[in-house]
């Protein structure tokens, strides 16, 4: 662990949401037994941070270790398992950026395609300030788009959810409300974290391909990486406690479990942060970025694409879906019912993840360092 990682990993507050060769997962990844050392640390974290459940994951030199502790629902006795699903929140953003890289390599779009190219024919009005905004601007939070759409529109999309218009139509509508107004800053000049920018990027991909972001992300990212245990929105069902449930602070600060469609942001926000995934499958995704980040041939993306994803295109320290330190890539995500912190250090072949089913604050940097440096037998 470098001194730079020790100093900068505490900045993990970001976000507080075609065919290719299958990547071969190490045999150890099929092993999902609860690692005793990490499980003990997860139990300590659960007690000190106040989350019903905690999942911790360490990636080191191609090996993955997972430790979990706690309850799927604070009102029940069902315990979490190492194969359970956790909400990714804004950790989804790097997946949307990875999708853009895949489609750029296949020639469907390019990194420098503009808002007006893909949305101009479909929207009645795009402010001139947004005409030349590209995928690079949107995915690095340099587009000038606001952080989020207004509350009234959010309520409208919350009412629609999957039962309303098809999601590509909803995202086009969302993009239209944002793009009709002038940018909040000159595109390319200022870092402004923007969930709205990722929804606009998703709308551009949908208009370019004629397919929903959900379909594209499964076909172009999940399937080639061998990822099976994933989905959109809150994991699990409302009828039975078959997966962890997110928790909100209820009366007197006690956590209250949430389930069903209202236990996540509206699906229109998918490209910005509505995915869930098991930790073993999230490890497959992170390992691809670790390998690509250190120049290992992955069969999934070219080295040029990995470099684009992991390099900031503008002055601020944010790449494509990843916050940047000196040698690490990092992100956090929460929908106020879940929390996930992620850090990977490609050159050192390591990474660490904290997952919780309640949004709690604590010293994430110190905990991530402890996870990453925990010795193995």
């Amino acid at each position: 662990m470098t001194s730079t990682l020790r100093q900068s990993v505490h900045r993990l507050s970001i976000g507080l949401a075609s065919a290719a060769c299958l990547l071969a997962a190490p045999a150890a990844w099929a092993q999902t037994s609860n690692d005793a050392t990490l499980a003990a640390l997860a139990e300590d974290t659960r007690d000190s941070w106040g989350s019903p459940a905690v999942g911790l994951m360490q990636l080191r030199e191609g090996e993955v270790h997972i430790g979990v502790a706690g309850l799927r629902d604070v009102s029940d006795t069902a315990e979490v398992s190492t194969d359970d699903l956790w909400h990714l929140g804004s950790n989804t953003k790097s997946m949307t950026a990875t999708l853009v890289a895949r489609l750029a390599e296949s020639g469907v779009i390019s990194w420098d395609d503009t808002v007006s190219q893909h949305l101009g024919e479909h929207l009645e009005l795009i402010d001139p300030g947004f005409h030349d905004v590209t995928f690079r601007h949107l995915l690095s939070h340099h587009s000038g788009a606001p952080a989020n759409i207004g509350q009234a529109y959010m309520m409208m999309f919350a009412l629609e959810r999957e039962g309303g218009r098809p999601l590509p139509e909803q995202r086009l509508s969302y993009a239209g409300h944002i793009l009709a107004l002038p940018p909040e800053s000159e595109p390319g000049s200022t870092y402004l974290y923007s969930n709205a920018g990722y929804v606009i990027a998703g709308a551009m991909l949908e208009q370019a391909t004629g397919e929903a972001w959900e379909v594209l992300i499964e076909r172009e990212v999940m399937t080639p990486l061998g990822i099976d245990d994933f989905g959109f929105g809150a994991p699990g069902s409302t009828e039975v406690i078959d997966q962890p449930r997110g928790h909100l602070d209820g009366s007197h600060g006690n956590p209250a479990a949430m389930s069903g469609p209202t236990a996540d942001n509206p699906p229109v926000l998918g490209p910005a942060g509505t995915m869930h995934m098991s930790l073993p499958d999230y490890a497959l995704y992170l390992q691809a970025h670790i390998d690509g980040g250190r120049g290992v041939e992955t069969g999934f993306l070219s080295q040029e694409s990995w470099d684009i994803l992991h390099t900031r295109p503008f002055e601020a320290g944010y790449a494509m879906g990843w916050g940047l330190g000196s040698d690490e890539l990092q992100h956090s995500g929460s929908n106020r019912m879940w929390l996930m912190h992620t850090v990977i250090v490609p050159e050192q072949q390591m990474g660490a993840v904290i997952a919780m089913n309640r949004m709690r604050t604590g010293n994430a940097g110190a905990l991530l360092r402890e996870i990453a440096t925990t010795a193995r037998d």
Side-chain angles (χ1 to χ4, degrees), residues 82-154:
T82 54
D83 294 320
D84 274 354
L85 302 170
W86 301 84
H87 196 274
L88 303 184
S90 286
N91 292 279
T92 304
K93 287 183 170 65
S94 75
M95 298 176 178
T96 296
T98 301
L99 170 60
V100 171
R102 289 273 295 172
L103 294 177
E105 284 202 358
S106 65
V108 175
I109 52 96
S110 82
W111 285 101
D112 296 311
D113 284 357
T114 65
V115 164
S116 57
Q117 280 178 262
H118 290 296
L119 303 182
E121 295 181 3
H122 307 284
L123 297 177
E124 183 176 344
L125 174 65
I126 297 177
D127 185 88
F130 279 117
H131 280 185
D132 296 326
V133 163
T134 69
F135 283 112
R136 296 182 197 269
H137 292 103
L138 293 163
L139 301 180
S140 66
H141 302 299
H142 279 76
S143 68
N148 295 291
I149 203 167
Q151 190 62 34
Y153 289 119
M154 279 292 286

Side-chain angles (χ1 to χ4, degrees), residues 214-270:
E214 288 81 358
V215 173
L216 295 170
I217 202 84
E218 178 172 5
R219 186 182 69 226
E220 297 293 334
V221 180
M222 302 303 139
T223 297
L225 292 177
I227 294 172
D228 297 317
D229 292 334
F230 75 96
F232 309 98
S237 66
T238 57
E239 293 77 18
V240 295
I241 304 174
D242 54 350
Q243 291 293 338
R245 291 178 171 177
H247 290 73
L248 284 175
D249 289 349
S251 60
H252 308 293
N254 296 319
M258 306 294 292
S259 64
T262 60
D264 194 17
N265 286 311
V268 71
L269 289 175

Side-chain angles (χ1 to χ4, degrees), residues 337-367:
M337 290 167 261
W338 300 78
L339 179 66
M340 179 176 281
H341 296 295
T342 302
V343 61
I344 60 173
V345 190
E347 288 301 326
Q348 297 183 44
Q349 302 183 60
M350 67 166 55
V353 175
I354 305 166
M356 299 184 182
N357 59 345
R358 186 184 183 190
M359 182 178 163
R360 308 302 291 164
T361 58
N363 191 338
L367 181 55

Side-chain angles (χ1 to χ4, degrees), residues 15-322:
L16 296 158
S18 65
C21 300
L22 290 178
L23 300 185
W29 293 17
Q31 176 57 258
T32 55
S33 59
N34 204 10
D35 180 88
T37 302
L38 288 179
L41 182 57
E43 182 63 39
D44 290 344
T45 302
R46 184 172 90 93
D47 291 340
S48 61
W49 287 38
S51 177
V54 172
L56 306 178
M57 182 163 66
Q58 178 198 75
L59 299 92
R60 181 183 290 177
E61 297 180 344
E63 293 188 359
V64 176
H65 299 274
I66 297 169
V68 300
L71 302 175
R72 289 175 170 173
D73 184 322
V74 73
S75 65
D76 193 78
T77 58
E79 297 183 348
V80 290
S81 77
T82 54
D83 294 320
D84 274 354
L85 302 170
W86 301 84
H87 196 274
L88 303 184
S90 286
N91 292 279
T92 304
K93 287 183 170 65
S94 75
M95 298 176 178
T96 296
T98 301
L99 170 60
V100 171
R102 289 273 295 172
L103 294 177
E105 284 202 358
S106 65
V108 175
I109 52 96
S110 82
W111 285 101
D112 296 311
D113 284 357
T114 65
V115 164
S116 57
Q117 280 178 262
H118 290 296
L119 303 182
E121 295 181 3
H122 307 284
L123 297 177
E124 183 176 344
L125 174 65
I126 297 177
D127 185 88
F130 279 117
H131 280 185
D132 296 326
V133 163
T134 69
F135 283 112
R136 296 182 197 269
H137 292 103
L138 293 163
L139 301 180
S140 66
H141 302 299
H142 279 76
S143 68
N148 295 291
I149 203 167
Q151 190 62 34
Y153 289 119
M154 279 292 286
M155 291 177 63
M156 178 187 75
F157 290 116
L159 289 172
E160 280 202 87
R161 296 192 176 274
E162 293 94 334
R165 295 169 294 172
L167 285 173
E169 290 185 25
Q170 292 187 42
R171 292 189 182 116
L172 187 62
S173 175
Y174 185 112
H177 292 307
I178 297 293
L179 297 173
L181 300 174
E184 295 194 357
S185 60
E186 180 70 23
S189 68
T190 305
Y191 170 83
L192 175 61
Y193 191 89
S194 176
N195 291 310
Y198 269 75
V199 178
I200 293 168
M204 290 168 65
L205 295 179
E206 290 173 335
Q207 297 307 313
T209 63
E211 296 182 282
W213 170 84
E214 288 81 358
V215 173
L216 295 170
I217 202 84
E218 178 172 5
R219 186 182 69 226
E220 297 293 334
V221 180
M222 302 303 139
T223 297
L225 292 177
I227 294 172
D228 297 317
D229 292 334
F230 75 96
F232 309 98
S237 66
T238 57
E239 293 77 18
V240 295
I241 304 174
D242 54 350
Q243 291 293 338
R245 291 178 171 177
H247 290 73
L248 284 175
D249 289 349
S251 60
H252 308 293
N254 296 319
M258 306 294 292
S259 64
T262 60
D264 194 17
N265 286 311
V268 71
L269 289 175
T274 69
M275 290 191 70
H276 62 253
M277 191 174 291
S278 71
L279 290 178
D281 274 12
Y282 191 38
L284 292 173
Y285 176 77
L286 295 179
Q287 189 63 47
H289 276 266
I290 289 172
D291 290 342
R294 64 190 186 93
V296 174
E297 174 58 46
T298 62
F300 176 70
L301 284 173
S302 68
Q303 193 57 52
E304 179 183 5
S305 290
W306 289 120
D307 291 345
I308 291 172
L309 288 171
H310 296 164
T311 303
R312 63 185 186 188
F314 302 100
E315 185 174 352
Y318 194 98
M320 302 295 179
W322 288 104

